[in-house]
């Protein structure tokens, strides 16, 4: 879930009521009184992988190198510390430092979305304020899940069946200041067809230019070309998400000139057979 600058006023009120907000306004998520800015989320956002050194420390130099390469791709912005960023494995200090690093490298006309979800409401608010001060434009928060006794299989199936009804969501909010982003490159074209604004796509870490091209084709009504490109993206997207996950994403990044590097334990690297299978998927669709 994402929320933008328009929620800053209520956020600050909550902080003041709890007596642990600093008196200064928070940069990034602060909003002048009486104004209600609207952020344009239209476009492609790669959820950045967090690079680690061989000793599993955050490698900020390699992160900056990847960011320099992404600067030449017409992304609408970047997502730091999503699930692809191995967010649960980073300390709070590292999370803020990563966001600061990304913000310094990111042109001001591009948005920075930052993960700040925690299990408790208080911790989420505190980290969101820190992300705002570090330069984030939008906060990404998640549903707390640790105390999940009531989250039965039936309840979760019902929950996720309801919230993937993207066409209905777009239809019901068409008169509101509300935007929907697709969460995968595998159904990006279909999402645009029903009115989505853009996408947060793991595959954009690897094939950023083709995904921005797909965005352009959909926006300009070139549906046949868009369909052809979408078909070539489906299998690679599945490979770096559901099939091989973050280790697969990082391995694929290396083939396209980015730094992928190791994951932080307990995530394990791919086996040689898995690497070959991953490479074959990209090759079969004309990307290698």
């Amino acid at each position: 879930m994402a929320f933008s600058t328009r929620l800053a006023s209520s956020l600050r009120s909550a902080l003041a009521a709890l007596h642990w907000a600093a008196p200064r306004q928070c940069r990034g998520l602060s909003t002048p009184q009486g104004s209600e800015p609207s952020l344009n989320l239209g476009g492609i956002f790669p959820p950045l992988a967090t690079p680690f050194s061989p000793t599993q420390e955050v490698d900020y130099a390699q992160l900056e190198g990847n960011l320099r390469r992404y600067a030449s791709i017409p992304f609408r912005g970047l997502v730091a510390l999503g699930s692809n960023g191995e967010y649960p494995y980073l300390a709070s200090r590292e999370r803020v430092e990563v966001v600061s690093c990304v913000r310094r490298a990111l042109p001001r006309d591009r948005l920075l979305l930052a993960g700040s979800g925690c299990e408790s409401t208080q911790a989420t608010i505190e980290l969101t304020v820190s992300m705002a001060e570090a330069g984030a434009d939008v906060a990404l928060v998640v549903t707390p899940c640790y105390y999940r006794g009531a989250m039965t299989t039936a309840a979760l199936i019902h929950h996720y069946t309801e919230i993937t009804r993207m066409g209905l969501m777009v239809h019901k909010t068409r008169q509101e200041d509300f935007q929907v982003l697709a969460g995968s490159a595998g159904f990006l074209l279909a999402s645009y067809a029903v009115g989505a604004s853009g996408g947060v796509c793991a595959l954009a870490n690897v094939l950023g230019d083709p995904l921005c091209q797909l965005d352009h084709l959909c926006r300009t009504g070139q549906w046949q070309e868009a369909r052809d490109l979408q078909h070539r993206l489906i299998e690679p997207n599945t490979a770096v998400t559901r099939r091989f996950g973050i280790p697969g994403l990082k391995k694929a990044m290396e083939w396209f000139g980015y730094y992928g590097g190791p994951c932080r334990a307990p995530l394990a690297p791919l086996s040689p057979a898995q690497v070959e299978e991953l490479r074959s998927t990209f090759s079969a669709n004309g990307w290698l």
Side-chain angles (χ1 to χ4, degrees):
M1 179 182 180
F3 68 88
S4 63
T5 55
R6 67 177 54 256
L7 294 188
S9 297
S10 59
L11 175 62
R12 288 199 302 274
S13 297
L15 292 172
L18 291 172
H19 303 290
W20 38 256
R24 65 188 183 281
Q25 286 193 337
C26 303
R27 187 170 71 85
L29 292 183
S30 62
T31 306
Q33 187 173 2
S35 66
E36 292 188 351
S38 178
L39 295 178
N40 175 16
L41 297 177
I44 301 299
F45 297 81
L48 297 173
T50 300
F52 296 105
S53 70
T55 58
Q56 298 195 358
E57 298 298 320
V58 177
D59 194 325
Y60 294 99
Q62 295 290 2
L63 175 59
E64 291 169 357
N66 285 345
L67 293 171
R68 282 193 293 271
R69 290 207 58 196
Y70 289 142
S72 65
I73 301 174
F75 293 131
R76 178 65 184 95
L78 304 177
V79 175
L81 304 177
S83 57
N84 287 292
E86 298 177 64
Y87 173 86
Y89 298 161
L90 271 65
S92 295
R93 171 187 55 81
E94 293 175 317
R95 294 169 182 174
V96 176
E97 289 174 354
V98 166
V99 170
S100 296
C101 180
V102 175
R103 182 72 271 175
R104 288 193 300 269
L106 192 62
R108 288 305 311 180
D109 63 343
R110 297 192 182 186
L111 295 177
L112 174 55
L113 286 61
S116 62
C118 302
E119 284 297 313
S120 80
T121 302
Q122 177 170 321
T124 299
I125 294 173
E126 288 178 335
L127 187 55
T128 298
V129 170
S130 296
M131 293 305 185
E133 292 176 334
D137 300 295
V138 176
L140 301 176
V141 297
V142 296
T143 303
C145 61
Y146 188 85
Y147 296 106
R148 60 182 186 273
M151 293 296 100
T152 63
T153 300
L156 289 174
I157 290 174
H158 175 75
H159 175 71
Y160 285 107
T161 298
E162 288 300 309
I163 67 170
T164 55
R165 295 167 61 186
M166 188 172 294
L168 180 60
M169 289 172 62
V170 172
H171 174 70
K172 290 293 187 181
T173 60
R174 67 191 184 282
Q175 302 300 326
E176 306 293 334
D177 182 15
F178 189 88
Q179 299 167 72
V180 175
L181 300 178
S184 173
F187 51 80
L188 191 58
L189 182 150
S191 301
Y192 280 117
V194 296
S197 298
V200 177
C201 306
L203 188 60
N205 285 284
V206 181
L207 298 176
D209 277 319
L211 278 167
C212 288
Q213 176 65 9
L214 179 56
D215 171 83
H216 172 74
L217 292 171
C218 291
R219 292 181 186 281
T220 55
Q222 301 178 65
W223 296 108
Q224 182 58 54
E225 294 91 338
R227 186 176 69 175
D228 293 341
L229 179 54
Q230 174 70 90
H231 277 292
R232 296 178 59 211
L233 296 170
I234 292 173
E235 288 185 335
N237 177 73
T238 300
V240 300
T241 55
R242 185 171 67 250
R243 197 168 181 184
F244 298 117
I246 298 170
L249 175 65
K250 286 189 166 183
K251 175 57 67 174
M253 288 174 64
E254 295 175 357
W255 298 333
F256 290 84
Y258 302 102
Y259 178 84
C263 295
R264 189 170 264 184
L267 286 180
L270 301 184
S271 68
Q274 289 174 320
V275 170
E276 183 56 36
E277 188 176 351
L278 178 64
R279 179 180 286 276
S280 296
T281 299
F282 277 85
S283 297
N285 287 278
W287 300 115
L288 285 175

